[in-house]
Amino acid sequence: MHFVIMGCGRVGASLARSLERGGHDVAVVDQDPAAFRRLGPEFAGRRVEGVGFDRDTLLQAGIEQAYAFAAVSSGDNSNILAARVARETFGVEHVVARIYDPDRAEIYQRLGIPTVATVRWTADQVIRRLLPQGHAPEHTDASGAVIIAEVQVDPSWVGRRLSQIESATGTRVAYLTRLGEGTIPGPDTVYQEGDLVHLTIPRARVGDVERVLDKAPPAQD
């Protein structure tokens, strides 16, 4: 898969190298050409000099073929603007933005852009948001048979109870992240726009669960 990363600081460079080691194609965008030195001589991906929310720069980075986009520069506004351009202009479905001000996370979540505040930032967290969830589970039991993973849910599930997600997938909701805060849902908790759903899934069924939640829910009686 092709990934575009805006920002070649320590996090961006680490993320790029991790994705490339996983066999993916990576393009890194940064205004400062000297920043690309952080990638190291072994990095084989594209190095694109320019502003990460500029249309021509993103086209040069292959945004039209991108599976996912990560905005991890040093500026909150630039990251959110770039993430919105990637999603709204180029239709990139999997987008994540780094922020320095955690108080603004709620605003960004309402825009539909998953964000990670600096205090919680690691390259692994970003990879979990970008890759299909079977690739990077949040937790795996000792036998490797059961995982907890954040699974993408189609927007058509908004307004449905989480118990319906459990019933349709044969899984259990481990916890819910809403507006940046983790919570254990009750039996009547309803899925809202911007929620992140973390499911307990048998590893062998991850693909099946993702396919169920990637389409509209069954009609209600």
Side-chain angles (χ1 to χ4, degrees):
M1 292 181 287
H2 181 57
F3 292 81
V4 177
I5 299 170
M6 169 189 159
C8 196
R10 286 178 295 178
V11 171
S14 175
L15 179 59
R17 291 193 300 267
S18 294
L19 287 168
E20 190 173 67
R21 283 195 299 269
H24 302 289
D25 181 54
V26 184
V28 182
V29 178
D30 201 288
Q31 296 184 71
D32 181 7
F36 297 128
R37 290 181 294 185
R38 295 187 178 94
L39 295 168
E42 297 83 12
F43 181 73
R46 274 180 268 181
R47 299 165 172 85
V48 181
E49 182 181 349
V51 178
F53 48 81
D54 176 74
R55 185 177 185 275
D56 291 336
T57 300
L58 289 172
L59 287 171
Q60 187 179 351
I63 193 67
E64 292 179 306
Q65 295 79 43
Y67 172 81
F69 176 82
V72 295
S73 76
S74 59
D76 286 7
N77 292 336
S78 295
N79 288 341
I80 291 300
L81 178 57
R84 294 191 68 181
V85 170
R87 172 168 286 178
E88 297 169 14
T89 301
F90 294 103
V92 180
E93 182 178 354
H94 304 280
V95 174
V96 64
R98 178 188 192 178
I99 63 169
Y100 282 83
D101 181 0
D103 293 335
R104 301 167 75 179
E106 179 176 345
I107 298 172
Y108 299 150
Q109 292 280 13
R110 292 189 184 280
L111 293 175
I113 304 294
T115 59
V116 184
T118 304
V119 294
R120 295 184 289 137
W121 185 266
T122 68
D124 285 345
Q125 285 177 308
V126 181
I127 289 174
R128 280 200 292 267
R129 292 180 184 273
L130 298 182
L131 288 174
Q133 295 308 315
H135 288 69
E138 299 170 22
H139 175 77
T140 304
D141 81 302
S143 71
V146 178
I147 68 171
I148 295 176
E150 178 191 320
V151 177
Q152 300 292 325
V153 180
D154 188 85
S156 58
W157 286 84
V158 169
R160 297 294 188 99
R161 288 187 175 89
L162 293 183
S163 58
Q164 291 179 273
I165 290 178
E166 293 180 329
S167 177
T169 59
T171 65
R172 291 291 180 267
V173 177
Y175 65 99
L176 181 74
T177 302
R178 177 171 292 171
L179 302 178
E181 296 292 330
T183 182
I184 297 176
D188 295 324
T189 301
V190 171
Y191 177 67
Q192 297 181 7
E193 183 178 359
D195 284 353
L196 305 178
V197 180
H198 309 262
L199 297 178
T200 304
I201 314 171
R203 182 180 288 277
R205 295 197 57 247
V206 170
D208 294 336
V209 171
E210 290 183 324
R211 281 188 286 273
V212 170
L213 295 180
D214 193 42
K215 59 185 180 182
Q220 292 177 307
D221 296 331

